[in-house]
Amino acid sequence: MRSIEELTDVVRARGGKVTSQRLLIWRALEGDRTHPTAEALLERVKPLLPSLSPATLYSVLNELVEWGDLRRFDAGDGSIHFDPDTSDHAELICLRCHRVWDVRASAAARDVPEEIAGFRVLNHAEQYYGYCADCRRAAGETAVSA
Amino acid sequence: MRSIEELTDVVRARGGKVTSQRLLIWRALEGDRTHPTAEALLERVKPLLPSLSPATLYSVLNELVEWGDLRRFDAGDGSIHFDPDTSDHAELICLRCHRVWDVRASAAARDVPEEIAGFRVLNHAEQYYGYCADCRRAAGETAVSA
DNA sequence: TTCTTTGCAAATCGTTTGCAGCATG
DNA sequence: CATGCTGCAAACGATTTGCAAAGAA
């Protein structure tokens, strides 16, 4: 996600307005590494602005996604999470408990092409799906066995 | 996605039953490269078994996802697509029109670790988010300009 | 026969919409 | 003061649920 200052410029350049709601949501996302859902974000900002409506939150999140400043992803169970971290990293997603972990594995550190066959790339994401240690234990799994 | 024969074994091993509905849906997904939504899949199989209910389709899709045989992803706008292609490849996803293209770029051809810190990896996915040529043209964009 | 799975229909829940009032530029 | 944005509440639509009947093993 770009900085608050840059986002301010983006909104102004589009003829939009830098409202307190946008600022609040941007600040809540800034530096976040928890992959929150929309609901979790709402709970986080509600105390700071109780009148904030879900519709506004969704609208601000959607524009960030469309600008390439926020990534939306499915944790494997249909629950939608957001990630403002557009730096190159990968996620481990457990197919049983649906928790998410970041991994800054060497495999993920790689150049992202600026353009692929006329398609302009804004950001890049990577996921590893599988079973986490807890779920493997709970399932009585002891070692890697496909 | 594993073969129909392997999936048959998986179901039997779990004490489940290889029903005609499961077979039908597995066959519809086999070799599919169109990233269909659940709705698109339903339209595809409905003519072959008109009595098939959405609930059954969702249930079969969900178990395939949980087994790591099918990947579910969000095209950036909340629309959920499925992909049975678990081989290493990446997707280009347009943030404006939400269409999806597969790319078997060299960057995607890489070893997937079997295990990462106790997490057992079943499959891997990669996405490039940005704007497609059509949408760039429609927006009056002429060259790469961040 | 036994027990999983199906189909149906209703319920659910996250997200979007329409519109009047408000606040930014 | 012009217009984009917000809050509200209702609408929406995709997915899930509960349960009786069906059909694999």
Side-chain angles (χ1 to χ4, degrees), chain B residues 85-132:
Chain B
D85 182 3
T86 46
S87 70
D88 245 321
H89 70 285
E91 278 130 21
L92 297 181
I93 301 180
C94 179
L95 292 170
R96 289 214 188 97
C97 69
H98 310 294
R99 282 183 296 173
V100 180
W101 292 264
D102 272 357
V103 277
R104 311 202 154 270
S106 58
R110 180 166 18 84
D111 285 336
V112 176
E114 199 174 46
E115 198 168 323
I116 300 175
F119 186 104
R120 176 147 73 95
V121 176
L122 295 179
N123 63 58
H124 168 256
E126 213 175 341
Q127 300 91 33
Y128 292 94
Y129 292 95
Y131 302 130
C132 72

Side-chain angles (χ1 to χ4, degrees), chain A residues 50-95:
Chain A
S51 66
L52 183 76
S53 75
T56 300
L57 174 64
Y58 282 108
S59 138
V60 173
L61 293 177
N62 286 343
E63 65 188 15
L64 287 172
V65 170
E66 183 155 345
W67 299 341
D69 285 284
L70 184 64
R71 199 163 47 78
R72 183 203 328 246
F73 67 92
D74 183 317
D77 60 342
S79 69
I80 303 299
H81 298 247
F82 293 89
D83 189 356
D85 182 2
T86 46
S87 71
D88 245 323
H89 69 286
E91 278 130 22
L92 297 180
I93 302 180
C94 179
L95 292 170

Side-chain angles (χ1 to χ4, degrees), chain B residues 12 17-18 38 55 58 62 80:
Chain B
R12 294 246 167 82
K17 297 174 181 185
V18 180
Y58 282 109
N62 285 344
I80 303 298

